[in-house]
Amino acid sequence: IWRFFTLECSEGLIDFEILEEFEKDAFDLDLPNNRRIKSQVTNPNFPNRKLTKKAADDDTSIIRDELTTTNTGNTLIYYLADKHDLTPLERVAVTSTGQIQMMFSSYYLGKVDLNVTRNVQMDIPAEELAMPKPPIVMFEREVLQTISGHLWCKARSIVRVYDEEVLEAYNNTPVGNLLQKLNLNPKHKLHDAGRSDDGGMWRFYTKACPGLIEFDILEEIFADAWDLPCLPEKQAAKSSLNP
């Protein structure tokens, strides 16, 4: 396959028109098998840093602090994939820097519906107020994501707003819509990920626009997220059996 796209930087700085071509075996390369250990179940209620700036005080935080975490996770994804035996699709989801609903929308060829079930202003902790530029307001959010009525993801987040104009635009708006509306390109940093009791996975990451707004997001992707009844291939097979 191939795709043609443009990357633009505002204010006339630089832009790229890119034509990418993928070889037909790009998703089936013959690579050496990585060492695997038994997959470990981890609790999404206790990710590294746990929706705060302070790293959790546990044995694994020391390991992760020594790993390089860049826009795509870098060394961290090798550690997580080895520890939790992540599938190829899960590895892609964990390191996704964009809106994960776009990935699932393409996967299912359907619209992802977002339902904000919680958006409550919270007290600003003392350690946040002691920062050189503390947030002017903080929110707790919870968002449920569905496709054709099937729930596949729950996202909980702490939102820090540093700018009055951004606060005015926030108004319980979905994260992706808000960033697009304000033409913001946040920095993405993956902190932690793991395997849930139901066989699904979770990841914890930060999206930050310094001085404007910041999101600490904990996403839980359920075990059947990649195999919902609305998968086009499933529907086609069902139609062929019932002409």
Side-chain angles (χ1 to χ4, degrees), residues 59-108:
D59 294 337
T60 59
S61 64
I62 298 175
I63 297 175
R64 293 193 183 99
D65 285 344
E66 293 175 351
L67 298 176
T68 302
T69 55
T70 64
N71 284 348
T72 55
N74 201 357
T75 308
L76 181 58
I77 187 57
Y78 292 98
Y79 167 77
L80 294 171
D82 194 48
K83 180 179 180 181
H84 302 295
D85 199 19
L86 301 178
T87 68
L89 283 174
E90 288 175 332
R91 294 197 296 269
V92 172
V94 164
T95 55
S96 171
T97 61
Q99 301 174 52
I100 199 167
Q101 61 262 35
M102 293 177 63
M103 178 193 306
F104 275 82
S105 178
S106 297
Y107 185 78
Y108 283 102

